[in-house]
Amino acid sequence: MTGRIVIVGYKPKEGKQAELEALVKSHIPTLRAEGLISNRDAISMRSEDGTIIEVFEWASKEAIEKAHSNVKVQEMWISFSEVCDYVPVSQVKEVSSVFSEFTPLS
């Protein structure tokens, strides 16, 4: 089994920044508790427009598939959809720089 590193962008809906940040802080612990991601440290960061970028490693392609039928993960993802829109990281202004700078989310 080979891990899969992913980068995801969460653009907060109007007035939902704090709720999104709280969800992001619980995201990795939930995925880890369900055995779906590796022990590699994840990174969460905020762009100037408030979009949160998260980088983490799924345990495998099979783990990604399992997440789509995991009740806890599905409930969490529903909560995410209520407070943000998923956006391609390429739409975040900072990634156009050679050295993209973000504010750590911690």
Side-chain angles (χ1 to χ4, degrees):
M1 290 193 341
T2 302
R4 307 298 300 161
I5 293 177
V6 295
I7 305 171
V8 61
Y10 310 110
K11 186 169 184 76
K13 293 182 179 180
E14 187 70 32
K16 301 292 185 178
Q17 184 78 39
E19 291 175 67
L20 175 58
E21 289 185 17
L23 274 171
V24 169
K25 288 179 182 178
S26 69
H27 188 222
I28 296 303
T30 300
L31 294 176
R32 192 162 282 135
E34 295 299 307
L36 298 169
I37 63 172
S38 74
N39 288 328
R40 185 184 305 270
D41 289 339
I43 298 173
S44 301
M45 60 201 98
R46 185 181 324 103
S47 70
E48 284 184 20
D49 74 357
T51 299
I52 295 176
I53 306 297
E54 189 175 49
V55 181
F56 64 94
E57 182 180 21
W58 288 100
S60 64
K61 282 191 170 204
E62 294 79 16
I64 298 170
E65 292 170 17
K66 287 180 184 177
H68 290 276
S69 61
N70 181 295
V71 174
K72 288 182 181 178
V73 174
Q74 290 302 301
E75 289 173 355
M76 182 175 50
W77 287 350
I78 289 169
S79 295
F80 266 90
S81 69
E82 293 170 353
V83 300
C84 75
D85 295 310
Y86 295 92
V87 296
V89 176
S90 63
Q91 291 182 2
V92 178
K93 181 182 83 169
E94 287 85 348
V95 300
S96 65
S97 299
V98 173
F99 293 96
S100 304
E101 293 184 32
F102 297 89
T103 302
L105 190 71
S106 53

